[in-house]
Structures are given as structure tokens and as C-alpha cells.
Amino acid sequence: MDKPTFDELKNLAAQHPEAFERLRSELIEDCICSSSKCSQSRLRGLQFVIDARRSLANNPVKALLEIQGMMYESLHNLNCALHGQGDKHPAPEAHILGNPKLWPHHNHPPELH
């Protein structure tokens, strides 16, 4: 699909917002489909988060700032990883619930009766 210019997108968004949204979705889908198969699932997940942030924002500027914050955090984490600083936000500690002795053993096939 040919990509429209910025001015074409701007005019389409102003004059025909529904058509702009359809085109935006098509362009995003084309981009995801043109990526490697192993990346597509992650890209769809990322797009889901972006769409959720957009829908929760009460105006376009707030949506822009939310998405910009996501991009900044991702870039910051990459920079930390590249410079060996590790994760600045370690994962919370996990607690095992229940009694592990009662869990089924995965290395033994289930008994047939």
C-alpha cells in the first residue's frame, strides 16, 4: 500500500476522521504483516497497548504523551541494557501459593484406570 504524505493524512483526519482511522488500521496491519513471523505476535500486543492508551486518554495530546512515555521508557531500558546497568525496575518478588508437594508431577504420565 502506498503511504500518504503527512499533509494528506492531516487533511483526511480533519475532513474524514472515520476514513483516517480505517487507513491508519490498514497501514498498521500492513506493517505488522510485513514483519517477520516471530515478531508479529509481539507487534500485535504492542499495538493493543497503544490502542488502549489512546482510548483511555481524554484528548489527542494526552494520548501522544502516553505513547511518547512508552517509547522513552523502552529506549531508557535499552540504553541501560547496552551499558550494563541492568534493569532499573526489577520485577516484583514472586510468592508461591499453595503446597508444592500437592502439585502434579509433570515428568510422570497420568495414571490410567
Side-chain angles (χ1 to χ4, degrees):
M1 173 180 291
D2 291 333
K3 294 182 180 97
T5 66
F6 174 82
D7 288 332
E8 290 170 334
L9 289 172
K10 182 176 125 183
N11 291 336
L12 185 63
Q15 297 169 6
H16 305 286
E18 298 85 11
F20 172 79
E21 285 301 317
R22 279 193 309 273
L23 178 61
R24 184 184 71 80
S25 293
E26 289 174 16
L27 290 171
I28 290 168
E29 184 62 23
D30 285 350
C31 181
I32 291 173
C33 287
S34 68
S35 69
S36 67
K37 293 289 183 199
C38 62
S39 297
Q40 289 181 14
S41 178
R42 185 168 180 181
L43 289 172
R44 287 190 198 291
L46 178 59
Q47 188 58 48
F48 177 82
V49 172
I50 291 170
D51 290 340
R53 296 272 178 107
R54 287 181 69 225
S55 69
L56 292 173
N58 53 4
N59 64 60
V61 173
K62 175 73 173 159
L64 171 69
L65 293 174
E66 287 286 328
I67 296 166
Q68 183 182 24
M70 288 173 53
M71 292 170 56
Y72 175 80
E73 182 178 354
S74 179
L75 183 60
H76 175 73
N77 291 341
L78 177 60
N79 188 41
C80 288
L82 288 173
H83 291 95
Q85 296 172 348
D87 190 5
K88 293 292 185 182
H89 308 285
E93 190 175 310
H95 298 282
I96 297 175
L97 301 176
N99 185 348
K101 292 179 183 177
L102 301 176
W103 295 350
H105 297 287
H106 296 289
N107 54 352
H108 299 296
E111 293 181 351
L112 299 175
H113 297 288

